[in-house]
Amino acid sequence: MKIILTQEVSGLGAPGDIVEVKNGYGRNYLLPQGFAIAWTKGAEKQVTVIKRARGAREIRDLDHANEVKAQLEGLKVNLKVRAGDGGRLFGSVTPAEIVDAVKTASGPVLDRRRLEVPGHIKSTGTYPVKIKLHPEVTASFNLNVVQG
């Protein structure tokens, strides 16, 4: 079955890629979840639009990825959250909140889907966060979750 990915699927491809998958995987998982659309000639024309949008937010090359890595690793990222007694949060910290905190700390605009958070953040403290900027470059920074 030929499909066009609309989101990044690990081990399969990036948005806009045309891939061949088994019928059941495409029909039962990728299409209902919205990760892909069925391949047609008209849909293939939409691939150019998807790839253009991806190119706008993607890290340009290895040098640019290293610049962003240096900028991230020298950054103090604080995230103020609502918490109860003992530092326990009301809910948990999401990748979208982490990306907003990096942007607030004068950091670069990041893609939340590339963040690697160690488990669920459900209490105040300092947590290591990794982000895959490029296939060869992974940056890490500390996220300080404070009650606020």
Side-chain angles (χ1 to χ4, degrees):
M1 166 179 233
K2 230 177 179 182
I3 58 168
I4 301 171
L5 296 177
T6 56
Q7 294 183 19
E8 185 167 341
V9 178
S10 60
L12 198 55
D17 289 349
I18 299 172
V19 294
E20 185 80 29
V21 295
K22 297 214 175 189
N23 290 339
Y25 183 51
R27 187 175 53 247
N28 297 327
Y29 179 69
L30 295 174
L31 295 175
Q33 293 291 329
F35 294 145
I37 57 174
W39 178 88
T40 61
K41 288 184 181 182
E44 191 169 359
K45 292 178 184 175
Q46 292 177 336
V47 170
T48 58
V49 175
I50 294 171
K51 285 188 176 183
R52 195 175 317 132
R54 177 175 48 165
R57 73 169 183 267
E58 196 173 81
I59 302 295
R60 288 185 295 275
D61 56 7
L62 187 61
D63 293 333
H64 185 241
N66 285 326
E67 289 175 21
V68 172
K69 178 181 178 180
Q71 184 180 2
L72 273 174
E73 290 179 345
L75 207 58
K76 297 274 186 192
V77 182
N78 291 320
L79 178 61
K80 292 185 180 183
V81 294
R82 289 185 46 207
D85 294 335
R88 185 145 172 87
L89 304 186
F90 298 126
S92 64
V93 176
T94 64
E97 290 173 327
I98 296 172
V99 168
D100 290 341
V102 169
K103 199 181 326 178
T104 304
S106 303
V109 177
L110 302 174
D111 187 2
R112 65 178 169 77
R113 294 176 293 239
R114 297 184 182 264
L115 282 177
E116 297 174 11
V117 182
H120 297 284
I121 299 175
K122 294 186 175 234
S123 61
T124 58
T126 303
Y127 296 90
V129 177
K130 292 182 180 180
I131 182 162
K132 191 165 187 156
L133 299 170
H134 189 269
E136 301 171 13
V137 179
T138 302
S140 61
F141 60 93
N142 286 327
L143 174 69
N144 190 20
V145 180
V146 294
Q147 187 170 355

